[in-house]
């Protein structure tokens, strides 16, 4: 796959005959425009993050099938089948490069790509599934003739044990070493005899997914070697910055401009902080009120959030001055802190209009001793987190649900569940940004407030 500068690329017609679901066995021999390299990867990342959220919420297989179908249509579908196939291939290999760079990244990508493949495979008809099995070159043959007849009674017992409404022995079974379908063995959904599992045609997904996961796992190791030995240095001025940024990309609105639901002033900031700030910002706000100081990481995280919720520059300067001068004095505040506040609002230096931090950036931060920034769901001790959630009014049941997500490292889902518990409503989109939490909170609270009399 060669990445080129922007120019019109005529799609090759030889992709149309490929199966609907590529197996990503080899990198594509095609030219890719630089903007496609990034944009295709972002679209696939939206799909994978949607899959991750669905799994974390405990959706059942049928619900996951429907979710994957919807996500794919929304982010990856193209009227031209060959272009869609190419986008599928390109986006996978770009993200393979992005997520090969650490064990944590590899683990997430492997799990999400395997889940995506599983449910895309389930959505295919049986003939398409068999074609994909053929593409893998798996050595398994269908059990036929006398062998199948001799097993029918025991196969029937397995089918009946699954509680199916109309249990029937399927026409096609595959004889497979039992260790290659661990999920079917663990759930007792196959007949095992002499070290072999007899896998029904309708269970092909388990057989193929095991092979797919093994292939992607090995490929990530090889890709990491290529990345560290050649690609990273060779592409340091072109592709490397894109690759290194994609794994932490925030894919929603940047909240650089306040909306009708994001407009606060000094006079109501304390009340709004209590009613609508997410836990990460509420903690920082309480600390600056309590200690009259925050270290740089905390000032940046809270300051840009306040900017995003509509606090004007003059009010921001007044807010920070009122707190910090209780500890450092006016002269030192003007000398050491006022400039950075104006800088965040694009009034100093390069005049860059900085945007508030998204959840992903906050979660990946590394607060040290004396710092208060970061994500409470990741960086708080369990006791401190429970105490903070209790102050937000969560019930014991709600708190346990949040803590379960924290233990499973689903920090954004933990924040989403906190939001749902506090406001008594579902948030299907999930919380991906502190300013999103604030805006959704304000929408709910303002919808409950009766209009002022005319």
């Amino acid at each position: 796959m060669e990445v080129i500068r922007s120019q019109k690329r005529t799609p090759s017609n030889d992709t149309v005959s490929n199966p609907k679901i590529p197996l990503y066995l080899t990198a594509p021999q095609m030219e890719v425009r630089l903007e496609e390299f990034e944009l295709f990867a972002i679209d696939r990342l939206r799909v994978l993050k949607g899959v991750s959220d669905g799994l974390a919420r405990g959706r059942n297989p049928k619900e996951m099938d429907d979710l994957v179908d919807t996500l794919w249509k929304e982010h990856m579908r193209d009227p031209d089948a060959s272009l869609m196939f190419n986008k599928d291939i390109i986006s996978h290999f770009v993200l393979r490069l992005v997520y090969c760079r650490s064990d944590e990244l590899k683990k997430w990508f492997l799990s999400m790509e395997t889940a995506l493949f599983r449910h895309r495979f389930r959505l295919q008809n049986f003939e398409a599934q068999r074609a994909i099995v053929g593409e893998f070159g798996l050595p398994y043959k269908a059990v036929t003739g006398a062998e199948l007849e001799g097993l029918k009674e025991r196969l029937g017992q397995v089918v009946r044990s699954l509680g199916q409404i109309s249990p029937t022995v399927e026409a096609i079974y595959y004889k497979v070493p039992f260790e290659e379908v661990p999920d079917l063995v663990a759930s007792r959904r196959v007949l095992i005899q002499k070290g072999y599992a007899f896998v029904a045609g309708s269970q092909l997904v388990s057989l193929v997914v095991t092979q797919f996961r093994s292939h992607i796992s090995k490929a990530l190791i090889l890709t990491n070697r290529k990345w560290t030995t050649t690609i990273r240095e060779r592409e340091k001025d072109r592709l490397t910055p894109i690759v290194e940024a994609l794994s932490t990309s925030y894919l929603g609105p940047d909240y650089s401009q306040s909306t009708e639901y994001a407009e606060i002033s000094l006079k109501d900031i304390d009340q709004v902080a209590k009613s609508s700030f997410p836990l990460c910002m509420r903690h920082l706000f309480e600390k600056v009120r309590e200690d009259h100081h925050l270290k740089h990481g905390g000032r940046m995280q809270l300051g840009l959030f306040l900017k995003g919720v509509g606090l004007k520059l003059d009010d921001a300067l007044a807010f920070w001055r009122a707190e910090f001068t209780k500890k450092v004095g006016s002269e030192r505040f003007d000398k050491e802190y006022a400039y950075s506040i104006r800088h965040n609002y694009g009034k100093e230096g390069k005049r860059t209009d900085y945007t508030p931090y998204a959840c992903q950036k906050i979660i990946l931060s590394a607060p040290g001793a004396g710092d208060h920034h970061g994500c409470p769901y990741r960086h708080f001790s369990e006791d401190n987190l429970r105490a903070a959630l209790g102050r937000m009014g969560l019930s014991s049941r709600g708190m346990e649900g949040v803590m379960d997500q924290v233990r499973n490292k689903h920090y954004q889902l933990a924040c989403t569940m906190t939001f749902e518990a506090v406001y008594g409503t579902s948030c299907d989109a999930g919380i991906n940004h502190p300013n999103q939490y604030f805006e959704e909170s304000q929408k709910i609270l303002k919808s409950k407030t009766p209009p002022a009399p005319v």
Side-chain angles (χ1 to χ4, degrees), residues 141-154:
K141 294 182 179 179
V143 180
T144 57
E147 185 176 13
L148 179 61
E149 285 297 321
L151 294 171
K152 269 194 172 181
E153 183 177 345
R154 295 183 64 192

Side-chain angles (χ1 to χ4, degrees), residues 34 118 121 193 234 239 246 299 378 399 428 431:
L34 190 59
R118 174 188 293 277
F121 185 89
Q193 181 173 282
R234 188 183 68 206
L239 299 184
L246 274 170
R299 296 197 303 274
R378 180 176 186 184
M399 195 178 297
D428 292 337
I431 298 298

Side-chain angles (χ1 to χ4, degrees), residues 376-377 380-387 389 394 396-411 413-414 417-418:
Y377 302 97
F380 276 19
S381 68
E382 180 171 337
D383 288 344
N384 285 344
L385 181 56
R386 285 181 178 276
L389 293 172
L394 266 69
S396 297
R397 182 177 179 182
M399 195 178 297
E400 288 309 315
V402 171
M403 297 308 300
D404 282 344
Q405 299 303 330
V406 170
R407 282 188 282 269
N408 288 319
K409 299 184 178 180
H410 299 311
Y411 306 116
L413 187 53
M417 293 182 71
T418 300

Side-chain angles (χ1 to χ4, degrees), residues 90-345:
I90 293 165
S91 62
H92 170 86
F93 277 93
V94 174
L95 289 186
R96 187 187 289 185
L97 192 62
V98 171
Y99 282 87
C100 76
R101 297 174 300 117
S102 74
D103 288 342
E104 186 176 359
L105 291 176
K106 280 187 280 192
K107 182 179 179 181
W108 185 86
F109 180 73
L110 179 62
S111 295
M112 293 310 108
E113 277 288 340
T114 301
L116 175 62
F117 180 84
R118 174 188 293 277
H119 293 287
R120 289 182 69 194
F121 185 89
R122 282 168 53 95
L123 291 166
Q124 304 295 307
N125 60 41
F126 182 62
E127 289 307 313
Q129 290 179 346
R130 289 189 69 180
I132 293 169
V133 172
E135 282 289 314
F136 261 124
L138 300 179
Y140 315 126
K141 294 182 179 179
V143 180
T144 57
E147 185 176 13
L148 179 61
E149 285 297 321
L151 294 171
K152 269 194 172 181
E153 183 177 345
R154 295 183 64 192
L155 289 171
Q157 292 173 356
V158 173
V159 173
R160 288 189 292 274
S161 72
L162 298 176
Q164 296 181 9
I165 297 174
S166 53
T168 57
V169 176
E170 295 187 27
I172 299 177
Y173 281 81
Y174 294 88
K175 188 176 181 180
V176 179
F178 76 92
E179 65 269 17
E180 295 192 12
V181 283
D183 57 330
L184 295 179
V185 173
S187 56
R188 300 184 178 184
R189 286 182 286 157
V190 287
L191 170 65
I192 299 177
Q193 181 173 282
K194 297 180 180 179
Y196 287 93
F198 291 83
V199 179
S202 62
Q203 298 171 323
L204 273 178
V205 61
S206 294
L207 183 59
V208 176
V209 164
T210 300
Q211 298 296 323
F212 180 83
R213 184 182 180 92
S214 175
H215 162 65
I216 299 299
S217 179
K218 293 172 184 176
L220 283 168
I221 295 171
L222 295 175
T223 305
N224 175 260
R225 290 176 188 167
K226 291 180 182 178
W227 167 256
T228 55
T229 57
T230 59
I231 300 174
R232 181 171 56 191
E233 180 60 25
R234 188 183 68 206
E235 296 288 345
K236 64 181 180 180
D237 297 323
R238 190 173 64 140
L239 299 184
T240 297
I242 297 173
V243 168
E244 291 179 340
L246 274 170
S247 63
T248 57
S249 291
Y250 166 65
L251 306 176
D254 63 14
Y255 297 97
S256 58
Q257 302 295 324
S258 59
T259 68
E260 62 175 305
Y261 296 107
E263 195 75 30
I264 65 172
S265 61
L266 280 181
K267 64 180 177 62
D268 55 18
I269 192 170
D270 286 276
Q271 182 271 323
V272 172
K274 188 174 182 179
S275 66
S276 292
F277 280 18
L279 181 54
C280 57
M281 300 304 170
R282 182 167 171 163
H283 174 66
L284 286 169
F285 185 82
E286 290 173 350
K287 280 299 175 184
V288 79
R289 286 295 202 210
E290 178 183 327
D291 298 340
H292 314 301
H293 190 268
L294 282 176
K295 289 189 174 182
H296 176 74
R299 296 197 303 274
M300 290 293 292
Q301 184 173 312
L302 178 60
L304 289 173
F305 169 79
L306 292 175
K307 175 191 172 188
V309 300
L311 191 68
K312 303 302 182 186
L313 174 57
D314 288 344
D315 281 349
L317 284 166
F319 167 75
W320 292 105
R321 180 188 298 276
E323 293 302 327
F324 273 48
T325 53
K326 294 175 183 176
K327 199 162 193 175
V328 302
S330 296
E331 184 177 346
R332 185 178 167 191
F333 176 83
D334 291 336
K335 184 178 179 180
E336 297 183 16
Y337 301 104
Y339 176 90
S340 64
I341 296 168
R342 293 194 298 270
H343 188 267
N344 283 348
Y345 278 76

